[in-house]
């Protein structure tokens, strides 16, 4: 008979088949964990049984744990342990289906150029060897690691479809010692250490429903994340409607506006709007004036089949979410890294 396997520490559950070892069930569902001998001798695949009944072939063991107060967990080996009922387990270091391995790599710095008064475009090249190669999803970010050990996160501004080439958009803040150190390193060294990939706010073109409309809301250098995702969609001939909103204080902060304008001219499903909030400091500005949430609400009367990807400060992201919720938008349809590092206060 089939049984449920609840992985307590990550909140996932899966169905195991009668006679399967715990390892076989996990691997059949696409999970990966460290294994060695596969016969219980090396003890590498040890997991903690919290609740349920199991039989283990080596070392021979039969356990039945109930969900009671002060109940201690027991170590079992995934390769020789067979559940006899629904079980709850804790598995450290488990790699979930579709999850990419995070790696520390030394990358070549191939170019650094100024895009406006304070934003640099940095181009890196990932290592070519298979053992040191890295994968990422469109919308994820990486950490730059300086020789001092200090590190800073930046959205990846290129699509995974572009192979080993990675692009970053980095704003230089002269009053920040860390920012100065990052720019100095990138301008004067040939390589930089990175940790990649990171972030749960990403998109895969083949998983999007055919009737979904996508809205991308970017503030300032948040456009890097949007660029990665949109280029991934276009590389995969994505035909759903794509609406891009790029907001900034002044016109010069929209540092790559010709690129999304080109997307819109070449693809009928792409729409691009620039929004400036301080028009008094942009004397030649003839476009939309105001804040991103207002611009989006002016253009959308309903949010049926809409998913929003928001890249910006917590204040911007939550202001947009609340404004859209007032028109019936559901929070689960908004995606942003902000939700991970600055959870919403309810």
């Amino acid at each position: 008979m089939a049984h449920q396997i609840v992985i307590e520490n990550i909140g996932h559950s899966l169905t195991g088949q009668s006679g399967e070892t715990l390892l076989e069930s996990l691997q059949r569902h696409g999970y990966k964990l460290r294994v060695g001998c596969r016969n219980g001798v090396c003890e590498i695949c040890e997991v903690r049984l919290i609740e349920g009944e199991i039989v283990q072939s080596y070392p021979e063991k039969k356990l039945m744990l109930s969900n009671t107060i002060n109940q201690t967990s027991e170590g079992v080996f995934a390769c020789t342990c067979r559940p006899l009922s629904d079980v709850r387990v804790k598995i450290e270091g488990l790699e979930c289906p579709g999850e990419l391995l995070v790696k520390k790599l030394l990358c070549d710095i191939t170019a650094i150029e100024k895009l406006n008064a304070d934003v640099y475009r940095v181009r890196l090249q990932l290592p070519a060897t298979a053992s040191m190669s890295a994968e990422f999803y469109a919308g994820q970010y990486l950490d730059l690691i300086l020789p001092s050990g200090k590190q800073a996160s930046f959205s990846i501004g290129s699509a995974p479809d572009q192979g080993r080439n990675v692009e970053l958009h980095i704003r230089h803040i002269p009053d920040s010692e860390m920012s100065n150190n990052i720019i100095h390193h990138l301008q004067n060294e040939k390589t930089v250490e990175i940790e990649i990939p990171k972030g749960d706010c990403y998109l895969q073109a083949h998983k999007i429903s055919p009737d979904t409309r996508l809205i991308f809301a970017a503030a300032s250098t948040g456009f890097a994340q949007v660029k990665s995702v949109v280029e991934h969609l276009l590389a995969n001939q994505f035909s759903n409607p794509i609406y891009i909103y790029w907001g900034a204080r002044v016109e010069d902060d929209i540092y790559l506006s010709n690129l999304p304008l080109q997307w819109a001219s070449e693809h009928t499903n792409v729409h691009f709007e620039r929004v400036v909030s301080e028009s008094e400091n942009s004397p030649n500005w003839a476009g939309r004036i105001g804040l991103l949430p207002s611009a989006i609400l002016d253009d959308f009367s309903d949010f049926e089949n809409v998913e929003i990807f928001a890249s910006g400060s917590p204040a911007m992201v939550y202001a947009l979410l609340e404004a859209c919720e007032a028109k019936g938008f559901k929070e689960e349809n908004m995606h942003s890294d902000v939700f991970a590092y600055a959870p919403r206060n309810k």
Side-chain angles (χ1 to χ4, degrees), residues 11-79:
H12 288 198
S13 64
L14 56 131
T15 301
Q17 299 299 326
S18 178
E20 280 186 331
T21 66
L22 186 56
L23 176 62
E24 289 169 340
S25 297
L26 289 166
Q27 292 182 330
R28 182 168 55 82
H29 285 274
Y31 291 84
K32 298 178 182 179
L33 72 162
R34 291 178 65 242
V35 294
C37 66
R38 294 176 182 267
N39 59 24
V41 174
C42 71
E43 303 184 2
I44 289 176
C45 66
E46 184 180 37
V47 303
R48 305 301 297 183
L49 177 67
I50 300 172
E51 181 182 4
E53 184 177 6
I54 65 92
V55 60
Q56 183 170 280
S57 59
Y58 185 88
E60 287 190 19
K61 178 187 292 188
K62 189 170 184 180
L63 288 173
M64 184 170 65
L65 300 183
S66 58
N67 184 17
T68 60
I69 297 174
N70 298 325
Q71 171 71 61
T72 59
S73 62
E74 293 278 350
V76 297
F77 301 130
C79 65

Side-chain angles (χ1 to χ4, degrees), residues 251 282-289:
E251 179 180 4
S282 303
N284 299 318
W285 181 247
R288 295 180 75 160
I289 299 171

